[in-house]
Amino acid sequence: MKRALLEFARQGFPVSKANEFGVYPGSVSRFDNAVVFMADCGSRDALVVFGDDMGFAGKSEDGFLLCELSHSNAVRLREVFAYTAPRALLHSACTMGLGDRLGIATDGHIAAVEGYSVLPVFAQQSMRELKLTGRTYDDVLDSATFAVFRRGYKKGFGADGDHLKTLEEIEYALRCGYSMITLDCSEYIDNTVQGMSAGEVKEAFCPQPERDCLYLNREFVLGGERLFFDEDTFCRGVLIYDAALKFIDTVYRRTIVNASRPIDFEISIDETATVTHPLHHYFIARELQRLGIKVATVAPRFCGEFQKGIDYIGDTAQFERELTIHADIAQQFGYKLSVHSGSDKFRIFEIVGRVTEGRFHIKTAGTSWLEAIKAVAVKAPALYREIHAYALESAFDEARKFYHVTTDLSRIPPLDSLSDEQLPKLFSNSDARQLIHITYGHILGAKSPDGSYRFRERLYSLWRREREFCDTLLKEHIGAHLEQLTKTQ
Ligand SMILES: O=C(O)[C@@H](O)[C@@H](O)[C@H](O)C(=O)CO
């Protein structure tokens, strides 16, 4: 390695020959009196600095500095090369969240987005994901930063503290440099209102004339339809969302307005049992405006089901009708719609792209984890069999507490009925997908009786060995999402 690096330097760091020296061509960067790049050292990558050390920390050898992909070096990289730091993507039309639960997917994600007019949010993780994988926001962002540098991806990317529910969680993500905050309001949404009678709603409602006159008994033309806000619909909207609006206001004033940099602020009302009535969306949008709260995106709970890692369940005609209204509201109030659990929703991608005229944010995460496990099924069938059996026997019931899925395990073909060559086909079976999708934390955290990880190390070394194959799977699969989403643009 050392000899190759010295020869690369002697030849003047030729990008066109970088691969021959184990150097990633996209990473070769000059800055003042230094050349910085990333090299493939077999089982890991390293940052290499020739010339001034530029403040990177590493081991000096024959005129160059060999640096670990550590947090402090990621911080320095973001300071020196601004494109490796996340930024708010507020004004970009089409943006896509590409959650990477493993810290290895960004290279494939970069390959996927490169042919499309979309800006990516590479570092996107929810608190739930961090808890299940045992990762930190620093770790998630650092992995994205290193991949962006490795590939020389300079178009810009975001970092989303996804599904945050408390001030502390938001402050944590902001401290780590995140550029997007997704406020999950689910704990402040009153799902019991759906089951209340008209009389009960009337009795529970507290009038506020100044607010109520803006909506009550008024007609609105939304998405080309005339929608009438009758008393019951209005009072229900207030009862369902009033506490959430107060919560949003508190969070916004205590965190987002004080941030020292632009932040994409997203309101998420999707992970809840109450489908967002279009008129209630209008009420929320207008109340946010009255409160002076600037949002980049709002994620309604759309009709139908957006379950993790599988296609849309529901009536696509109704979805299109309601989406048209939601999109009109978003446009009127100057934000974009955000579609959560966007992994694998092939039945509606074209509709989303067309109806929003290409102005949307869509989040994916689980599908990239599934592609990583599919790579295991292809390249290491015996390991896949172990993981699948573990997920079925020891993880699924527990994992179900974290995600709403309607998986029917009996529809998954028994493992012993499948040849090794047939294993990858399991990834076309919705129930098998969900089995693996929701058990990621358990699979990664599973321990053997001696206390060592049962799968984790074997998985990471396989993914390292097969990184080109994994990147290709992601490029194709995320590319298939983008193809549909941008079909009408
Ligand atoms: O699994 C999670 O917690 C997250 O990836 C999601 O909830 C995320 O918001 C999403 O929608 C990704 O598809």
Side-chain angles (χ1 to χ4, degrees), residues 229-419:
F229 232 143
D230 62 37
E231 190 182 5
D232 185 65
T233 312
F234 175 65
C235 297
R236 277 183 201 273
V238 173
L239 292 179
I240 298 169
Y241 297 108
D242 202 34
L245 282 163
K246 291 197 174 85
F247 174 58
I248 297 167
D249 190 39
T250 307
V251 165
Y252 184 71
R253 294 197 194 288
R254 297 234 201 125
T255 60
I256 308 296
V257 282
N258 301 324
S260 54
R261 56 185 191 277
I263 298 295
D264 289 327
F265 186 41
E266 169 161 318
I267 303 301
S268 135
I269 50 171
D270 70 305
E271 284 223 0
T272 171
T274 308
V275 172
T276 315
H277 189 298
L279 279 169
H280 294 166
H281 180 184
Y282 179 84
F283 165 68
I284 292 165
R286 193 145 175 198
E287 287 303 292
L288 290 175
Q289 189 185 57
R290 282 201 325 131
L291 291 164
I293 297 168
K294 291 198 177 66
V295 296
T297 36
V298 169
R301 158 86 157 84
F302 296 108
C303 60
E305 290 226 23
F306 282 70
Q307 291 192 25
K308 304 288 179 190
I310 60 167
D311 214 330
Y312 175 72
I313 303 171
D315 177 349
T316 53
Q318 188 196 351
F319 173 76
E320 178 164 346
R321 194 192 134 247
E322 293 193 14
L323 182 74
T324 307
I325 303 172
H326 287 302
D328 189 14
I329 297 167
Q331 205 198 332
Q332 280 187 37
F333 288 92
Y335 55 77
K336 296 194 300 179
L337 284 183
S338 179
V339 181
H340 284 211
S341 306
S343 295
D344 306 289
K345 302 297 176 290
F346 290 98
R347 291 179 66 219
I348 53 142
F349 284 153
E350 186 273 336
I351 301 174
V352 171
R354 175 168 43 81
V355 166
T356 63
E357 295 175 353
R359 282 189 56 75
F360 61 85
H361 180 64
I362 186 151
K363 295 197 190 198
T364 67
T367 205
S368 295
W369 150 257
L370 283 169
E371 289 303 295
I373 295 291
K374 189 191 207 173
V376 179
V378 176
K379 300 288 179 184
L383 176 56
Y384 177 77
R385 284 178 192 276
E386 271 186 68
I387 289 172
H388 184 108
Y390 169 80
L392 265 179
E393 283 148 30
S394 316
F396 185 74
D397 287 340
E398 189 56 31
R400 225 184 169 146
K401 294 181 188 151
F402 297 91
Y403 288 100
H404 164 70
V405 286
T406 51
T407 318
D408 179 350
L409 297 179
S410 71
R411 289 192 296 226
I412 304 175
L415 272 187
D416 54 14
S417 70
L418 301 171
S419 68

Side-chain angles (χ1 to χ4, degrees), residues 101 124-129 162-163 270-271 308 339-343 363-366 403 437 440:
R101 294 175 178 157
Q124 168 207 287
Q125 286 292 277
S126 65
M127 271 294 149
R128 170 173 55 193
E129 286 170 305
D162 194 12
H163 283 288
D270 70 305
E271 284 223 0
K308 304 288 179 190
V339 181
H340 284 211
S341 306
S343 295
K363 295 197 190 198
T364 67
Y403 288 100
H437 181 290
Y440 62 95

